[in-house]
Amino acid sequence: GPAGYAYFALVYVVAEMLAIPAVPLTASAGYLFGVTAGTAVVLLSATIAAGGAFIVGRVFLRQWVEKYILQSRKFVAIDEAISRKGFQLVLLLRLSPLLPFALSNYIYGMTKVNFWEYLLATLIGFSPGTLGFVLTGQVGRELSGIEGA
């Protein structure tokens, strides 16, 4: 019921904020809740965790990083590019497994990317992979012979 979704979401957010790999949790959402509800709870939880980590990076780490960025023209240029094309860059990086999810949330917070662009790109960029892993959990449930979620 609703409490199960809430507990799952809480565990998921905490795991993501602590950089604990979420693939097993994502697949278990399909096993526990089915594809539609499982995908919804994972996307909501992952987006909340991403937003929280971004804010931690922005509030607590940005000033520290800025000291080092300003010493390098290359890093200043990268930071400016991210601020101008933040949505596109975040979306492309979310669609590829290039950067670990949890770590990248903090890193994006240290850049000039707009928070809302980052959050929307994160939600959209995670959707295909999330659906795939949740579907895997649903298939596992069906193959185990347990009645549907």
Side-chain angles (χ1 to χ4, degrees):
Y5 294 111
Y7 290 132
F8 183 90
L10 178 65
V11 168
Y12 199 100
V13 169
V14 169
E16 281 296 339
M17 295 286 293
L18 295 175
I20 297 170
V23 170
L25 278 172
T26 303
S28 69
Y31 188 89
L32 296 170
F33 307 121
V35 174
T36 303
T39 300
V41 74
V42 168
L43 285 176
L44 177 65
S45 303
T47 303
I48 290 169
F54 180 96
I55 290 168
V56 168
R58 180 67 49 94
V59 171
F60 297 108
L61 303 174
R62 172 73 187 172
Q63 289 179 344
W64 177 76
V65 169
E66 221 164 35
K67 288 188 292 189
Y68 298 102
I69 287 176
L70 294 175
Q71 296 174 9
S72 167
R73 283 187 288 154
K74 182 188 258 184
F75 285 123
V76 169
I78 290 169
D79 198 31
E80 287 301 319
I82 289 172
S83 72
R84 285 192 313 274
K85 298 288 187 182
F87 178 84
Q88 293 92 332
L89 289 171
V90 172
L91 179 61
L92 289 172
L93 288 170
R94 293 301 196 195
L95 289 168
S96 72
L98 186 63
L99 291 173
F101 170 66
L103 177 62
S104 68
N105 294 328
Y106 293 101
I107 291 171
Y108 291 128
M110 291 185 270
T111 69
K112 290 183 179 179
V113 68
N114 174 279
F115 175 76
W116 296 109
E117 289 180 8
Y118 157 80
L119 210 57
L120 182 60
T122 294
L123 177 65
I124 295 168
F126 277 161
S127 294
T130 297
L131 179 61
F133 285 117
V134 172
L135 185 59
T136 300
Q138 172 66 37
V139 168
R141 179 184 184 101
E142 291 170 3
L143 291 176
S144 71
I146 297 174
E147 293 295 317

